[in-house]
Amino acid sequence: MDLALSYCDSGFLPIIDGVFDNVEFLASQKLRFERRGFQLITVSLAAEMEDLLHRNMLRDPLQRMEESRIRQLHMGFQIAGVSLAIRDKLPEEVCDDLLDIIELERSVSPAQQRNDEQVDLLFLRHGAPDYPLEVYPDPFKLCLSLEGRSEALAAKMAVRRFAPDVILSSDFARALETAQLACSGIGVEIEPVEALRERVFFQLVGKSFDDVRRELGDGATGVLSGNSDLVELAPDEPYEAARDRVLSFFDTLPERHPGKRVLVISHGGPHSWLLERALGTDLKGVRRLRWDTGCFSRFTLSAEETKLEAMNIGPSSVVSGLRLGAV
């Protein structure tokens, strides 16, 4: 069932062929699928006793089952979902009948309808940058370190598994380089987006850390440690303006890309502001929620709400289960 859901997430129609000894289990799975926006159709292959015994005799002697066992199983057999009679039918005929039933039973559930109006957003933090040792960096020139490139390449399989319809990246160098490495061969164009930039102080670019400390005093600690939320430095972008810029952009996605899977490659600040909206809280200056470079978070966006599905999951976890709640 987990594997089937992962295929549903990628737009496939999986068919599970199995023997279930608990009909209530199937009912619980139907609810599970519906809550994910999918429909689980159960079809029971029903056979008469004579037909079962005849089929058993046609098997290789080493594969035959005792007649008493067949009768015992048949007595306990329960029909779940749609009953499909298979008497005298070849496997190919059963397959055709099964596909016909699926076509008749398929419907657009309310959950699926909501799904078609939502954006499935996978948020990738750029890889580790190659920070200069003693100079405030230029965000348009600050590329990835060797570790950062490795993180971006490690994310590639997860990105492929997510199968994005749209790829949006901050236009800062470390995000674009991450996008190019993680999304190569996907066949979707990377769109650089100014609104997804991290908040930076352009007036400090190229200045030594010592000069920054002399210029900003106590405020330099936050700026140089990567937590500049509480620092304002005119004429560069104020904190509230940066947050509004990012959230206003995310507000446009449900209308621009309804029902699509959207991959965003960006920074800690934009991620924190989207997280604020999902949690309904203010995280200004807060750095207690871990989100590592090269890791993913997943959100569902609609016109009504922003929902956090998972946070700070590594590429391998994304591959094995894209909706892990690893907050």
Side-chain angles (χ1 to χ4, degrees):
M1 290 295 184
D2 290 339
L3 183 60
L5 277 172
S6 73
Y7 274 87
C8 289
D9 276 330
S10 294
F12 292 97
L13 169 64
I15 297 178
I16 306 166
D17 179 15
V19 178
F20 301 90
D21 60 1
N22 186 342
V23 174
E24 292 181 353
F25 169 78
L26 291 175
S28 69
Q29 293 300 304
K30 180 179 180 181
L31 179 61
R32 180 188 177 199
F33 273 64
E34 287 175 350
R35 286 178 173 174
R36 291 276 292 274
F38 304 114
Q39 182 182 13
L40 178 64
I41 301 169
T42 301
V43 180
S44 297
L45 304 186
E48 300 173 5
M49 179 58 67
E50 291 181 4
D51 189 42
L52 291 175
L53 294 176
H54 175 66
R55 290 171 183 267
N56 190 50
M57 291 302 298
L58 296 178
R59 293 175 179 156
D60 184 278
L62 295 177
Q63 295 179 321
R64 291 174 189 167
M65 187 181 294
E66 292 290 336
E67 181 178 330
S68 59
R69 179 59 175 158
I70 295 178
R71 293 184 180 275
Q72 179 186 17
L73 291 172
H74 190 260
M75 287 180 61
F77 180 73
Q78 297 181 44
I79 295 292
V82 181
S83 178
L84 173 59
I86 63 172
R87 182 182 179 88
D88 298 329
K89 290 182 180 177
L90 296 172
E92 292 80 6
E93 294 176 297
V94 174
C95 181
D96 289 340
D97 289 344
L98 180 63
L99 293 175
D100 288 341
I101 290 173
I102 291 173
E103 189 63 32
L104 290 172
E105 292 290 320
R106 289 179 75 177
S107 64
V108 179
S109 65
Q112 183 62 53
Q113 187 173 1
R114 290 194 300 272
N115 232 33
D116 291 340
E117 299 170 354
Q118 296 173 342
V119 170
D120 187 358
L121 177 70
L122 190 64
F123 202 134
L124 170 61
R125 187 176 184 183
H126 59 76
D130 188 16
Y131 282 115
L133 293 178
E134 291 294 333
V135 177
Y136 190 90
D138 182 344
F140 294 108
K141 297 179 180 178
L142 179 62
C143 295
L144 299 179
S145 64
L146 178 59
E147 178 186 1
R149 289 193 292 274
S150 297
E151 289 174 332
L153 289 172
K156 185 173 182 177
M157 185 179 295
V159 170
R160 184 177 294 276
R161 179 69 188 81
F162 179 63
D165 302 299
V166 180
I167 300 175
L168 308 172
S169 173
S170 159
D171 60 354
F172 283 170
R174 57 194 186 275
L176 277 176
E177 187 178 2
T178 300
Q180 290 160 359
L181 291 172
C183 304
S184 63
I186 300 297
V188 179
E189 185 176 351
I190 300 168
E191 180 183 344
V193 178
E194 181 177 336
L196 291 174
R197 291 176 180 177
E198 184 68 282
R199 178 181 179 235
V200 298
F201 298 117
F202 288 102
Q203 62 186 285
L204 299 180
V205 169
K207 292 186 177 182
S208 71
F209 288 172
D210 288 339
D211 287 342
V212 172
R213 293 186 185 97
R214 281 191 291 270
E215 198 170 317
L216 301 185
D218 293 340
T221 301
V223 171
L224 298 181
S225 65
N227 184 4
S228 60
D229 293 359
L230 304 180
V231 178
E232 299 292 344
L233 200 57
D236 281 313
E237 187 177 36
Y239 177 86
E240 297 299 334
R243 178 162 58 183
D244 290 345
R245 159 177 56 84
V246 169
L247 293 180
S248 295
F249 175 77
F250 282 116
D251 284 341
T252 67
L253 294 186
E255 183 177 352
R256 291 173 56 202
H257 306 295
K260 301 295 185 181
R261 288 187 291 273
V262 177
L263 175 67
V264 165
I265 302 95
S266 188
H267 313 269
H271 177 269
S272 179
W273 297 323
L274 190 60
L275 187 62
E276 278 186 345
R277 175 167 287 180
L279 299 179
T281 189
D282 188 342
L283 296 175
K284 185 175 181 178
V286 175
R287 288 295 184 271
R288 297 188 183 94
L289 297 177
R290 179 176 172 181
W291 194 45
D292 299 320
T293 53
C295 286
F296 295 87
S297 289
R298 193 166 185 176
F299 298 85
T300 299
L301 306 185
S302 69
E304 293 77 26
E305 66 174 347
T306 298
K307 184 179 179 182
L308 174 66
E309 304 286 356
M311 179 177 163
N312 199 41
I313 52 178
S316 59
S317 296
V318 176
V319 171
S320 61
L322 277 168
R323 289 187 182 267
L324 290 176
V327 178

PDB file of all heavy atoms in Angstrom, residues 2 20-21 67 73 100 131 158 196 213 230 240 255 278 289 307 315:
ATOM      1  N   ASP A   2       1.958   1.228   0.772  1.00  0.00           N
ATOM      2  CA  ASP A   2       2.881   2.372   0.785  1.00  0.00           C
ATOM      3  C   ASP A   2       3.466   2.605  -0.608  1.00  0.00           C
ATOM      4  O   ASP A   2       3.568   3.743  -1.073  1.00  0.00           O
ATOM      5  CB  ASP A   2       4.018   2.133   1.783  1.00  0.00           C
ATOM      6  CG  ASP A   2       3.544   2.192   3.224  1.00  0.00           C
ATOM      7  OD1 ASP A   2       2.483   2.783   3.465  1.00  0.00           O
ATOM      8  OD2 ASP A   2       4.244   1.647   4.089  1.00  0.00           O
ATOM      9  N   PHE A  20      -5.754 -10.740   1.017  1.00  0.00           N
ATOM     10  CA  PHE A  20      -5.900 -10.044   2.295  1.00  0.00           C
ATOM     11  C   PHE A  20      -6.797 -10.866   3.212  1.00  0.00           C
ATOM     12  O   PHE A  20      -7.903 -11.248   2.819  1.00  0.00           O
ATOM     13  CB  PHE A  20      -6.499  -8.649   2.075  1.00  0.00           C
ATOM     14  CG  PHE A  20      -5.672  -7.764   1.176  1.00  0.00           C
ATOM     15  CD1 PHE A  20      -5.868  -7.757  -0.196  1.00  0.00           C
ATOM     16  CD2 PHE A  20      -4.677  -6.965   1.711  1.00  0.00           C
ATOM     17  CE1 PHE A  20      -5.102  -6.952  -1.022  1.00  0.00           C
ATOM     18  CE2 PHE A  20      -3.903  -6.155   0.890  1.00  0.00           C
ATOM     19  CZ  PHE A  20      -4.112  -6.150  -0.471  1.00  0.00           C
ATOM     20  N   ASP A  21      -6.323 -11.119   4.412  1.00  0.00           N
ATOM     21  CA  ASP A  21      -7.110 -11.942   5.336  1.00  0.00           C
ATOM     22  C   ASP A  21      -7.959 -11.098   6.271  1.00  0.00           C
ATOM     23  O   ASP A  21      -8.578 -11.625   7.189  1.00  0.00           O
ATOM     24  CB  ASP A  21      -6.193 -12.865   6.155  1.00  0.00           C
ATOM     25  CG  ASP A  21      -5.190 -12.081   6.991  1.00  0.00           C
ATOM     26  OD1 ASP A  21      -5.230 -10.841   6.934  1.00  0.00           O
ATOM     27  OD2 ASP A  21      -4.370 -12.726   7.677  1.00  0.00           O
ATOM     28  N   GLU A  67      -7.329 -30.415  -1.610  1.00  0.00           N
ATOM     29  CA  GLU A  67      -8.717 -30.044  -1.836  1.00  0.00           C
ATOM     30  C   GLU A  67      -9.390 -29.564  -0.554  1.00  0.00           C
ATOM     31  O   GLU A  67     -10.171 -28.608  -0.562  1.00  0.00           O
ATOM     32  CB  GLU A  67      -9.499 -31.225  -2.419  1.00  0.00           C
ATOM     33  CG  GLU A  67     -10.955 -30.880  -2.704  1.00  0.00           C
ATOM     34  CD  GLU A  67     -11.722 -32.042  -3.329  1.00  0.00           C
ATOM     35  OE1 GLU A  67     -11.093 -32.858  -4.035  1.00  0.00           O
ATOM     36  OE2 GLU A  67     -12.951 -32.110  -3.108  1.00  0.00           O
ATOM     37  N   LEU A  73     -10.708 -22.549   2.718  1.00  0.00           N
ATOM     38  CA  LEU A  73     -10.507 -21.148   2.358  1.00  0.00           C
ATOM     39  C   LEU A  73     -11.748 -20.557   1.705  1.00  0.00           C
ATOM     40  O   LEU A  73     -12.122 -19.405   1.959  1.00  0.00           O
ATOM     41  CB  LEU A  73      -9.309 -21.011   1.419  1.00  0.00           C
ATOM     42  CG  LEU A  73      -7.933 -21.288   2.027  1.00  0.00           C
ATOM     43  CD1 LEU A  73      -6.861 -21.309   0.940  1.00  0.00           C
ATOM     44  CD2 LEU A  73      -7.585 -20.229   3.070  1.00  0.00           C
ATOM     45  N   ASP A 100     -12.128  -2.423 -16.932  1.00  0.00           N
ATOM     46  CA  ASP A 100     -13.463  -1.861 -17.162  1.00  0.00           C
ATOM     47  C   ASP A 100     -14.099  -1.405 -15.848  1.00  0.00           C
ATOM     48  O   ASP A 100     -14.729  -0.340 -15.780  1.00  0.00           O
ATOM     49  CB  ASP A 100     -14.371  -2.900 -17.838  1.00  0.00           C
ATOM     50  CG  ASP A 100     -13.989  -3.139 -19.294  1.00  0.00           C
ATOM     51  OD1 ASP A 100     -13.298  -2.276 -19.878  1.00  0.00           O
ATOM     52  OD2 ASP A 100     -14.379  -4.193 -19.836  1.00  0.00           O
ATOM     53  N   TYR A 131      31.592  29.968   1.769  1.00  0.00           N
ATOM     54  CA  TYR A 131      31.679  31.295   2.374  1.00  0.00           C
ATOM     55  C   TYR A 131      33.127  31.796   2.405  1.00  0.00           C
ATOM     56  O   TYR A 131      34.038  31.056   2.758  1.00  0.00           O
ATOM     57  CB  TYR A 131      31.155  31.272   3.802  1.00  0.00           C
ATOM     58  CG  TYR A 131      29.647  31.269   3.915  1.00  0.00           C
ATOM     59  CD1 TYR A 131      28.982  30.170   4.456  1.00  0.00           C
ATOM     60  CD2 TYR A 131      28.894  32.363   3.485  1.00  0.00           C
ATOM     61  CE1 TYR A 131      27.597  30.168   4.573  1.00  0.00           C
ATOM     62  CE2 TYR A 131      27.511  32.366   3.594  1.00  0.00           C
ATOM     63  CZ  TYR A 131      26.872  31.260   4.134  1.00  0.00           C
ATOM     64  OH  TYR A 131      25.512  31.260   4.243  1.00  0.00           O
ATOM     65  N   ALA A 158      15.880  12.416  -5.252  1.00  0.00           N
ATOM     66  CA  ALA A 158      14.636  12.828  -4.603  1.00  0.00           C
ATOM     67  C   ALA A 158      13.841  13.763  -5.512  1.00  0.00           C
ATOM     68  O   ALA A 158      12.611  13.667  -5.601  1.00  0.00           O
ATOM     69  CB  ALA A 158      14.936  13.498  -3.272  1.00  0.00           C
ATOM     70  N   LEU A 196      12.286  35.014  -4.350  1.00  0.00           N
ATOM     71  CA  LEU A 196      12.721  33.917  -3.477  1.00  0.00           C
ATOM     72  C   LEU A 196      14.101  34.166  -2.868  1.00  0.00           C
ATOM     73  O   LEU A 196      14.663  33.283  -2.228  1.00  0.00           O
ATOM     74  CB  LEU A 196      12.733  32.592  -4.254  1.00  0.00           C
ATOM     75  CG  LEU A 196      11.361  32.046  -4.638  1.00  0.00           C
ATOM     76  CD1 LEU A 196      11.502  30.819  -5.540  1.00  0.00           C
ATOM     77  CD2 LEU A 196      10.548  31.678  -3.392  1.00  0.00           C
ATOM     78  N   ARG A 213      31.954  44.797  11.901  1.00  0.00           N
ATOM     79  CA  ARG A 213      31.824  44.900  13.366  1.00  0.00           C
ATOM     80  C   ARG A 213      31.947  46.357  13.836  1.00  0.00           C
ATOM     81  O   ARG A 213      31.204  46.796  14.716  1.00  0.00           O
ATOM     82  CB  ARG A 213      32.886  44.024  14.031  1.00  0.00           C
ATOM     83  CG  ARG A 213      32.689  42.529  13.816  1.00  0.00           C
ATOM     84  CD  ARG A 213      33.686  41.702  14.625  1.00  0.00           C
ATOM     85  NE  ARG A 213      33.566  40.284  14.309  1.00  0.00           N
ATOM     86  CZ  ARG A 213      34.344  39.638  13.440  1.00  0.00           C
ATOM     87  NH1 ARG A 213      35.309  40.309  12.808  1.00  0.00           N
ATOM     88  NH2 ARG A 213      34.177  38.364  13.202  1.00  0.00           N
ATOM     89  N   LEU A 230      16.786  40.759  13.428  1.00  0.00           N
ATOM     90  CA  LEU A 230      16.580  41.898  14.330  1.00  0.00           C
ATOM     91  C   LEU A 230      17.406  43.114  13.938  1.00  0.00           C
ATOM     92  O   LEU A 230      17.448  44.098  14.679  1.00  0.00           O
ATOM     93  CB  LEU A 230      16.900  41.483  15.764  1.00  0.00           C
ATOM     94  CG  LEU A 230      16.119  40.264  16.288  1.00  0.00           C
ATOM     95  CD1 LEU A 230      16.530  39.942  17.722  1.00  0.00           C
ATOM     96  CD2 LEU A 230      14.621  40.498  16.196  1.00  0.00           C
ATOM     97  N   GLU A 240      10.380  43.218   7.543  1.00  0.00           N
ATOM     98  CA  GLU A 240       8.967  43.023   7.230  1.00  0.00           C
ATOM     99  C   GLU A 240       8.723  43.064   5.725  1.00  0.00           C
ATOM    100  O   GLU A 240       7.897  42.306   5.207  1.00  0.00           O
ATOM    101  CB  GLU A 240       8.113  44.093   7.929  1.00  0.00           C
ATOM    102  CG  GLU A 240       8.165  44.045   9.446  1.00  0.00           C
ATOM    103  CD  GLU A 240       7.652  42.732  10.016  1.00  0.00           C
ATOM    104  OE1 GLU A 240       6.826  42.069   9.344  1.00  0.00           O
ATOM    105  OE2 GLU A 240       8.067  42.367  11.133  1.00  0.00           O
ATOM    106  N   GLU A 255      -2.978  29.889  -7.677  1.00  0.00           N
ATOM    107  CA  GLU A 255      -3.668  30.371  -8.877  1.00  0.00           C
ATOM    108  C   GLU A 255      -2.838  30.125 -10.132  1.00  0.00           C
ATOM    109  O   GLU A 255      -3.378  29.770 -11.190  1.00  0.00           O
ATOM    110  CB  GLU A 255      -3.970  31.862  -8.738  1.00  0.00           C
ATOM    111  CG  GLU A 255      -4.752  32.434  -9.913  1.00  0.00           C
ATOM    112  CD  GLU A 255      -5.097  33.905  -9.729  1.00  0.00           C
ATOM    113  OE1 GLU A 255      -4.849  34.428  -8.620  1.00  0.00           O
ATOM    114  OE2 GLU A 255      -5.600  34.515 -10.691  1.00  0.00           O
ATOM    115  N   ALA A 278       2.350  28.488   8.039  1.00  0.00           N
ATOM    116  CA  ALA A 278       1.772  27.155   8.256  1.00  0.00           C
ATOM    117  C   ALA A 278       1.484  26.909   9.732  1.00  0.00           C
ATOM    118  O   ALA A 278       0.474  26.276  10.091  1.00  0.00           O
ATOM    119  CB  ALA A 278       2.709  26.086   7.705  1.00  0.00           C
ATOM    120  N   LEU A 289      14.425  25.877  15.078  1.00  0.00           N
ATOM    121  CA  LEU A 289      13.906  24.845  14.186  1.00  0.00           C
ATOM    122  C   LEU A 289      14.953  24.529  13.128  1.00  0.00           C
ATOM    123  O   LEU A 289      15.264  25.360  12.282  1.00  0.00           O
ATOM    124  CB  LEU A 289      12.597  25.305  13.535  1.00  0.00           C
ATOM    125  CG  LEU A 289      11.442  25.547  14.511  1.00  0.00           C
ATOM    126  CD1 LEU A 289      10.230  26.079  13.765  1.00  0.00           C
ATOM    127  CD2 LEU A 289      11.082  24.268  15.245  1.00  0.00           C
ATOM    128  N   LYS A 307      -0.196  24.392   4.577  1.00  0.00           N
ATOM    129  CA  LYS A 307      -0.097  23.222   5.452  1.00  0.00           C
ATOM    130  C   LYS A 307       1.305  22.621   5.372  1.00  0.00           C
ATOM    131  O   LYS A 307       1.817  22.364   4.284  1.00  0.00           O
ATOM    132  CB  LYS A 307      -1.135  22.171   5.051  1.00  0.00           C
ATOM    133  CG  LYS A 307      -1.171  20.954   5.950  1.00  0.00           C
ATOM    134  CD  LYS A 307      -2.247  19.988   5.481  1.00  0.00           C
ATOM    135  CE  LYS A 307      -2.296  18.731   6.351  1.00  0.00           C
ATOM    136  NZ  LYS A 307      -3.318  17.776   5.855  1.00  0.00           N
ATOM    137  N   PRO A 315      17.467  13.589   1.478  1.00  0.00           N
ATOM    138  CA  PRO A 315      17.074  13.033   0.181  1.00  0.00           C
ATOM    139  C   PRO A 315      16.622  11.579   0.244  1.00  0.00           C
ATOM    140  O   PRO A 315      15.669  11.201  -0.428  1.00  0.00           O
ATOM    141  CB  PRO A 315      18.344  13.185  -0.664  1.00  0.00           C
ATOM    142  CG  PRO A 315      19.061  14.333  -0.049  1.00  0.00           C
ATOM    143  CD  PRO A 315      18.785  14.242   1.422  1.00  0.00           C
TER     144      PRO A 315
END
